[in-house]
Amino acid sequence: MASSTPDGPDGPDGPAPAPSPARRPLRSAAAAVLIVLAVLLTPPAVVAAWAKSEISDPDRYVATMAPLAHDPAVQATVTNRVTAAVVERLPVDSLVSDLVPGGSPLLGALLQRLGSALEGGVTGLVHDGVQRLVRSDAFPAIWDGLNRDAHAAVDRALTGEGGGAVEVRGNTVTLDLAPVIDRTKQALVADGVPAASRIPEIHTSYVLVRSDQVAHVRTLLRLLSLAGYWVAVLAAACAVGGVLLAVRRHRAAVAAALGTAAAAALLGLGLTAFRAVYLDRLPAGVDQDAASAVYDTLVRYLRDAVRLVVVLGVLAALGAWLSGRGRSAGAVRGLWEAGLGGVRTAAERMGLRPGPVGRFVHRFKAWLCWAAVGAAVLVLLLWDRPTAEVAVWLGLALLAVLAAVELLDEPGTGAAGRTEEVRP
């Protein structure tokens, strides 16, 4: 275990030569600038990665929008919107003729005089049919197909160009409900309303987003989607460069990790604050519950990414602090090694000794520890949509592997006991 000495610039084979006093301020200033850049780039990097993944992968987009098919507020809004569009174009005269198959003039005149009562009955009939469809097991598949067809138009929506199932018009992002209306017409015909077959093709819109800031957000998302993951790569490069250039690398690593976590947390707070402002500025006729559901669904994976970055930043800061040369970090490492040493001693008393495996682990201990860290990072990078929970479990798994390495570490006796540890 390293002695408790002031933190200094560490090299792979031990402390690196200290820079000359004249160069220290320059290195510290350059390192600070790079770390600050990394922190400032963290929010746009998270948003850019989210925008890139949602736009480029139709499966991701459909999976993001899928929960809305089961949301009661969204179902009610879609039902009301489709009902109004169908009733507006439903040929009531034909419907009356269908209800009077014998062509009785007296009954026909009576139905015509019912006026608003007849219209209300027709509206209720259509509403019930649409509601059954929206609440049925078939609707999620319809909703997924609608969003899958719309995915190709998302890029056009971000650029503001018309066409496709998703469009941006002024300050509103809308979704065309024509496929839902078509299925509704088929259901009405099946329920004994043949006049529904004479309804022309209807294109009506469901409002996904309505805000005065749509144009600005659209431009920002367009730029970030073009940048893609390169913003994250640039932020990581700045953080690594700042740490390597710093005079006190462990402290710089802790600062960079905590700064990144704080920047991501601020982005999360910004999403929550914008949600309140967005809902407060919606027109009076917009359903607040449905708008809340749409907003929360659209930013669901963005919030997951924010939590992931916060957890990774905290874990990285903790790891950098524990590997430093401060007294507190040394005391924690001492407790760790003492606890595992006690377990190893108890196992040896029971006759359990690692033997050659233990000597191999002792010789390549540093390499094995770095390999475990690299494997954890690789798993995180290859994981599809990792979450904060995934990061925590990977951290615990890495801790278990490092504990196993410590338990198996056995210098041996004689010449083997004096074997120097090979450092990567």
Side-chain angles (χ1 to χ4, degrees):
M1 181 181 68
S3 60
S4 297
T5 60
D7 188 17
D10 302 337
D13 299 316
S20 62
R23 296 182 58 189
R24 280 176 177 264
L26 292 177
R27 286 187 56 175
S28 298
V33 169
L34 288 176
I35 291 175
V36 169
L37 283 176
V39 172
L40 294 177
L41 286 172
T42 297
V46 174
V47 177
W50 167 78
K52 181 66 175 178
S53 63
E54 291 297 320
I55 294 171
S56 62
D57 191 341
D59 293 331
R60 288 181 182 269
Y61 178 78
V62 171
T64 298
M65 302 297 291
L68 290 175
H70 305 279
D71 187 271
V74 173
Q75 289 180 345
T77 303
V78 171
T79 298
N80 294 335
R81 190 72 186 91
V82 172
T83 298
V86 171
V87 171
E88 182 181 355
R89 295 168 177 81
L90 186 65
V92 179
D93 295 339
S94 299
L95 182 61
V96 170
S97 301
D98 294 335
L99 293 175
V100 189
S104 171
L106 181 60
L107 185 56
L110 179 62
L111 289 175
Q112 291 290 349
R113 289 185 177 183
L114 288 177
S116 60
L118 178 60
E119 183 178 353
V122 171
T123 301
L125 178 66
V126 174
H127 183 276
D128 291 343
V130 177
Q131 191 174 66
R132 284 197 303 272
L133 173 63
V134 171
R135 292 181 178 180
S136 68
D137 295 335
F139 183 66
I142 299 173
W143 184 261
D144 287 350
L146 180 65
N147 283 284
R148 186 172 296 278
D149 293 340
H151 176 266
V154 172
D155 185 62
R156 291 195 295 271
L158 288 177
T159 59
E161 298 175 2
V166 175
E167 293 187 73
V168 175
R169 295 179 179 176
N171 63 349
T172 305
V173 182
T174 60
L175 182 66
D176 189 359
L177 294 177
V180 181
I181 295 175
D182 185 64
R183 288 292 297 268
T184 299
K185 289 158 53 177
Q186 298 175 20
L188 288 173
V189 172
D191 288 343
V193 186
S197 63
R198 293 188 285 275
I199 299 176
E201 183 178 358
I202 303 174
H203 293 275
T204 190
S205 300
Y206 176 81
V207 176
L208 291 176
V209 178
R210 176 177 292 164
S211 172
D212 295 337
Q213 302 299 319
V214 163
H216 302 293
V217 173
R218 181 181 66 210
T219 302
L220 177 61
L221 286 179
R222 177 61 177 170
L223 293 175
L224 291 177
S225 66
L226 290 175
Y229 302 108
W230 289 107
V231 183
V233 173
L234 180 59
C238 288
V240 173
V243 171
L244 294 179
L245 196 59
V247 175
R248 299 181 182 274
R249 290 179 179 171
H250 285 283
R251 295 184 183 181
V254 172
L258 291 181
T260 298
L266 287 177
L267 173 60
L269 293 176
L271 291 174
T272 302
F274 181 77
R275 180 183 188 273
V277 174
Y278 165 68
L279 294 177
D280 185 61
R281 295 184 178 181
L282 286 175
V286 177
D287 187 283
Q288 291 281 320
D289 292 335
S292 299
V294 171
Y295 180 86
D296 292 338
T297 299
L298 286 174
V299 302
R300 176 167 56 122
Y301 291 111
L302 180 56
R303 283 176 169 160
D304 286 345
V306 166
R307 298 188 189 101
L308 174 65
V309 174
V310 170
V311 170
L312 288 178
V314 173
L315 292 178
L318 182 61
W321 175 73
L322 287 175
S323 63
R325 300 176 182 274
R327 293 182 179 180
S328 299
V332 174
R333 291 198 305 270
L335 291 174
W336 165 268
E337 293 175 359
L340 293 177
V343 174
R344 187 190 304 111
T345 300
E348 290 175 352
R349 288 175 180 174
M350 298 173 59
L352 301 175
R353 299 183 62 88
V357 174
R359 291 190 290 274
F360 173 82
V361 170
H362 177 76
R363 181 176 178 81
F364 298 101
K365 181 179 178 180
W367 285 104
L368 292 173
C369 290
W370 281 112
V373 173
V377 173
L378 182 62
V379 170
L380 185 66
L381 292 176
L382 296 179
W383 198 288
D384 183 44
R385 278 180 172 166
T387 62
E389 291 77 9
V390 171
V392 170
W393 282 110
L394 281 177
L396 293 175
L398 175 61
L399 194 63
V401 172
L402 296 179
V405 170
E406 188 68 30
L407 286 173
L408 292 174
D409 181 15
E410 183 181 88
T413 59
R418 295 188 295 272
T419 302
E420 294 292 335
E421 180 180 318
V422 177
R423 297 178 180 271

